[in-house]
Amino acid sequence: MRQIAIIGSGPAGYYTAEAAQKQWGDDVRVDIFDMLPVPYGLIRTGVAPDHQSIKGVSRRYESTNSLDNVRFVGNVMIGEDITIPELMSLYDAVVLATGAPNDKPAGIPGEGLDNVFGSAAFVGWYNGHPQFAKLGPDLSGRRAVVIGNGNVALDVARILTKTPGEFTGSDIVAHALHALEKSRIEHVTILGRRGPHQIAMTPKELGELAHLERACPRVDPADLPDEQEDLFLEPGQRKSVGHLRSFAAIPEAFRSDKPVEIEFDFFASPRAVLGDGQVTGVEVERTALDADGRASGTGETYVVPCDLVVTCIGYKSSPIPGVPFEESAGRFANDEGRILPGLYCVGWARRGPSGTIGTNRPDGYSVVETIAADIGVGTGKLGRPGFDKLAEERKLDVVTFRDWKKIEAEEEKRARDGAPREKFVDVAEMIKARGD
Ligand code: NAP
């Protein structure tokens, strides 16, 4: 019998559990730990609330939980309730699937001013992550700056500019919906330090900007490279750039029906966040690209006035004392998922914050192959019964998958009309909803 502990119940964690199930069937026991009483990680608190079809993948993770060889162990804080060395003494393999929950800092002056947020915090706020539910961004100003040219920047710009009606069918949490209903933001500038050919935005997500009820994207045609150069892009990127070209061609007459603007400012590298207490603007330096597509400052600077800044420039994992960490890449130091004998990592914790949800599937399958090669038929560790004994001794209030289903039922019951659920955003409330 193999005993495996997975830390983190997001996509990487669940694909690893699924792979272990497929590899060993009834000859494995997998415990998926999470610090929250609710599963699915980024599916619940990262994927945009108006992208419900993406969130549908959680049904697949649920079916992984339907067999006895995989169980969810929620509300357990690794490092506090139980340590990694303790887990390693109980399980043949411990897999860190902890993602990359921390914002990469922009490293510019003024980043700490009021109403400047990283995307982990801002996205966590509108998605109801208990850690960020009380973030309280001030949306009473008219202008926002979103820094970064990736899909998260698109999510944030879209959420900031949708009408309340456009959230029908989404699971945006009530506190964010109410704040957005009162929002006065009418201009969002998306700052990209490089150009249209270097964006990290995918076509479907970019295309959505053309169909917003009251907001319209704007691209300066002068920023677009010669159209012939698009031929050298890979097809997905060519499609994304095609969207930018169509945004640049939107006639002014069409814009007059759309009071909110999402403006792309390319070749614009943030140098400082300005303000005295509260943010009032971002100082930007115009950039030029070298032959390898790297940006360097031209010396020309200007200020984009704003009342809110959200940096969407990537994430990093949380280091764990005693576990080798690669600071520059913001992930655990590993060789094909191996960190130390018996300790592995997968997903963003292994490779950094890149790729889509589906990218984590091959990751999960490959780490299980590695574990299979390392542990053979298992090393005779106690596994589940060992953890259960320790949990009882420490009086841990473990939340099971069955408990989660009760929490989920309560969330569905309290959903506003047309919404799939109204999430609990407080750990104590989640635990209360589980009942006795
Ligand atoms: P990302 O795709 O890595 O994009 C980060 C962006 O920030 C890049 O444009 C990067 O520019 C820029 N940047 C980095 N450091 C900067 C700095 N100091 N100053 C200015 N700009 C800076 O990251 P992400 O948007 O956070 O997304 C993370 C992952 O989740 C991605 O794989 C993404 O596709 C995925 N995701 C997918 C969806 C979806 O499929 N619907 C939604 C959300 C997220 P450079 O290119 O110049 O470095």
Side-chain angles (χ1 to χ4, degrees):
M1 177 67 70
R2 292 101 182 146
Q3 304 279 356
I4 297 183
I6 296 172
I7 320 297
S9 68
Y14 266 100
Y15 285 124
T16 304
E18 177 190 297
Q21 245 172 8
K22 290 235 162 83
Q23 176 90 12
W24 293 299
D26 205 36
D27 289 329
V28 70
R29 294 289 176 271
V30 181
D31 282 354
I32 307 180
F33 291 87
D34 204 295
M35 64 178 186
L36 291 181
V38 293
Y40 308 142
L42 269 198
I43 299 295
R44 180 178 167 102
T45 58
V47 171
D50 57 344
H51 281 172
Q52 286 299 313
S53 58
I54 300 181
K55 287 182 191 260
V57 72
S58 61
R59 283 191 287 277
R60 178 176 180 145
Y61 308 151
E62 182 165 336
S63 74
T64 300
N65 255 111
S66 64
L67 296 181
D68 283 344
N69 55 4
V70 170
R71 68 176 189 175
F72 173 69
V73 187
N75 200 35
V76 175
M77 182 66 93
I78 305 303
E80 283 179 22
D81 295 326
I82 185 165
T83 64
I84 294 286
E86 284 172 332
L87 284 171
M88 289 170 74
S89 72
L90 289 172
Y91 294 86
D92 300 319
V94 175
V95 184
L96 302 178
T98 45
N102 301 321
D103 284 305
K104 201 182 102 183
I108 54 176
E111 226 179 327
L113 287 171
D114 288 348
N115 233 26
V116 180
F117 305 104
S119 52
F122 196 77
V123 171
W125 169 72
Y126 63 62
N127 265 327
H129 192 300
Q131 196 184 342
F132 303 111
K134 295 203 169 19
L135 193 75
D138 178 357
L139 307 180
S140 64
R142 297 191 189 277
R143 299 178 72 98
V145 164
V146 173
I147 300 176
N149 268 181
N151 281 328
V152 173
L154 284 179
D155 281 348
V156 168
R158 192 180 68 253
I159 296 293
L160 278 174
T161 53
K162 274 195 162 180
T163 60
E166 285 174 291
F167 288 109
T168 304
S170 82
D171 67 350
I172 189 163
V173 290
H175 65 236
L177 185 59
H178 294 151
L180 288 162
E181 273 166 4
K182 285 188 259 151
S183 164
R184 295 171 70 201
I185 302 281
E186 56 189 33
H187 193 279
V188 176
T189 304
I190 301 181
L191 292 180
R193 62 181 171 183
R194 298 193 289 158
H197 273 193
Q198 287 76 33
I199 55 170
M201 297 164 165
T202 43
K204 182 177 157 289
E205 285 63 31
L206 198 50
E208 282 178 79
L209 296 195
H211 305 287
L212 298 176
E213 227 168 271
R214 67 175 171 195
C216 187
R218 181 187 288 276
V219 168
D220 182 349
D223 283 341
L224 291 164
D226 191 282
E227 202 160 347
Q228 292 297 314
E229 291 178 33
D230 293 3
L231 295 173
F232 299 105
L233 299 172
E234 58 89 19
Q237 190 73 343
R238 200 181 312 146
K239 220 167 163 186
S240 290
V241 174
H243 283 303
L244 294 177
R245 290 192 185 283
S246 68
F247 299 165
I250 294 173
E252 289 306 317
F254 178 81
R255 293 179 183 284
S256 56
D257 295 341
K258 307 261 181 172
V260 177
E261 182 157 283
I262 301 172
E263 180 187 10
F264 288 80
D265 190 357
F266 291 110
F267 307 106
S269 186
R271 290 293 182 242
V273 181
L274 309 174
D276 181 10
Q278 180 103 353
V279 58
T280 56
V282 178
E283 185 184 292
V284 173
E285 183 174 7
R286 195 49 84 213
T287 63
L289 299 189
D290 64 19
D292 296 324
R294 279 188 302 253
S296 53
T298 60
E300 177 198 341
T301 60
Y302 57 99
V303 172
V304 181
C306 65
D307 316 281
L308 166 75
V309 172
V310 186
T311 61
C312 306
I313 59 172
Y315 303 110
K316 51 184 194 165
S317 298
S318 288
I320 298 174
V323 179
F325 194 73
E326 224 177 282
E327 195 60 52
S328 57
R331 62 181 180 220
F332 295 102
N334 72 92
D335 179 14
E336 302 285 315
R338 284 187 185 94
I339 305 178
L340 296 169
L343 185 63
Y344 304 82
C345 56
V346 71
W348 282 9
R350 177 180 83 79
R351 58 175 210 278
S354 64
T356 60
I357 306 281
T359 316
N360 296 299
R361 188 171 175 272
D363 248 31
Y365 278 72
S366 107
V367 83
V368 163
E369 271 179 32
T370 306
I371 294 170
D374 290 353
I375 67 171
V377 292
T379 58
K381 292 191 180 171
L382 281 175
R384 271 185 195 181
F387 171 76
D388 290 347
K389 184 163 171 285
L390 193 141
E392 205 180 307
E393 282 163 13
R394 294 185 184 172
K395 300 192 175 14
L396 302 185
D397 188 7
V398 170
V399 172
T400 65
F401 199 75
R402 189 177 296 183
D403 293 335
W404 150 243
K405 293 302 288 176
K406 289 189 204 157
I407 299 170
E408 186 183 41
E410 288 301 313
E411 290 187 336
E412 287 168 0
K413 227 188 271 174
R414 49 191 231 133
R416 62 185 172 272
D417 276 355
R421 66 190 64 81
E422 181 61 57
K423 291 178 204 164
F424 292 107
V425 302
D426 178 81
V427 168
E429 276 186 31
M430 292 170 182
I431 291 183
K432 196 166 148 217
R434 160 188 70 171
D436 299 324

